Amino acid sequence: MTVDAITICTFYSDFLKHCISNKKYFDRWLIVTVPHDTQTIKLCRLYGLHYCFSNRILDSGFRKGAGINDGITALGKDLDWICVVDADVILQDELPLYYPLLSKDKIYGLKGRYQVDTQQQLLNSSFNRTIEDENMVFGYFQLWHSSYRPYYPENSFHAGGDDVQMANSY
């Protein structure tokens, strides 16, 4: 079992820098950004994170799904589990304990999300982030098997639209 993660990070490296510890939960973690986001590129190089560019992310709005699909393509064809995690989510050490329990025909999310508006809120977050498949699976963390859905919806020009389409496809 392998879990590859994709994070869209465009001009948000000030938050991503607090989430570098997420790297240990994935076999590969790919940061998708734009060529002119020099701070994210610098951060990826500093911490040895893989990154790629998507010129489609900022095409007519924020096209998160297009960026995710560019990341999936960059990771290659031999994908097992795919995780999309936002650049302002710090994952908990319990996450890998759930991996053996996952079902290939479900999409998984995290419980206990609230809006993070400042870096201090991110660092002070202590809410429960257990993995679940029971309720709406929001886009800040989505984990699914590539055999069920190899690509992410990209019909929206804002992140929430693609996220909801993905969750509703299960």
Side-chain angles (χ1 to χ4, degrees):
M1 171 182 198
T2 59
V3 180
D4 294 310
I6 297 169
T7 295
I8 304 298
C9 184
T10 53
F11 308 103
Y12 210 57
S13 63
D14 51 335
F15 281 80
L16 180 63
K17 71 182 178 186
H18 299 293
C19 303
I20 300 298
S21 63
N22 290 348
K23 182 180 178 181
K24 65 186 172 192
Y25 303 117
F26 307 114
D27 295 284
R28 294 181 295 177
W29 186 21
L30 181 68
I31 309 302
V32 182
T33 190
V34 292
H36 52 284
D37 182 358
T38 58
Q39 294 303 314
T40 296
I41 296 165
K42 194 181 300 184
L43 185 72
C44 288
R45 289 178 178 160
L46 178 66
Y47 288 99
L49 299 175
H50 298 285
Y51 64 93
C52 74
F53 300 125
S54 173
N55 291 316
R56 301 185 315 141
I57 296 173
L58 301 179
D59 182 27
S60 302
F62 184 67
R63 300 198 57 224
K64 180 180 176 182
I68 291 168
N69 286 334
D70 290 346
I72 289 171
T73 299
L75 285 170
K77 296 182 184 207
D78 297 325
L79 296 177
D80 194 14
W81 289 89
I82 302 169
C83 181
V84 171
V85 60
D86 279 1
D88 60 357
V89 173
I90 298 173
L91 299 171
Q92 304 298 312
D93 288 335
E94 295 79 22
L95 180 64
L97 299 176
Y98 291 95
Y99 290 167
L101 308 174
L102 301 177
S103 174
K104 291 182 179 182
D105 63 346
K106 293 185 177 182
I107 186 169
Y108 296 89
L110 297 177
K111 285 184 181 179
R113 171 67 169 183
Y114 69 94
Q115 183 66 35
V116 177
D117 295 315
T118 68
Q119 294 178 53
Q120 196 58 46
Q121 283 178 333
L122 176 65
L123 295 173
N124 290 337
S125 63
S126 61
F127 52 89
N128 183 11
R129 288 199 178 113
T130 57
I131 199 166
E132 69 169 351
D133 67 348
E134 300 295 321
N135 299 307
M136 177 57 136
V137 178
F138 294 103
Y140 57 84
F141 179 97
Q142 292 180 327
L143 175 64
W144 74 94
H145 196 270
S146 64
S147 65
Y148 190 83
R149 184 160 182 113
Y151 289 99
Y152 208 82
E154 56 176 86
N155 304 321
S156 259
F157 292 96
H158 60 90
D162 293 337
D163 294 340
V164 170
Q165 287 178 34
M166 181 62 172
N168 287 338
S169 71
Y170 280 81

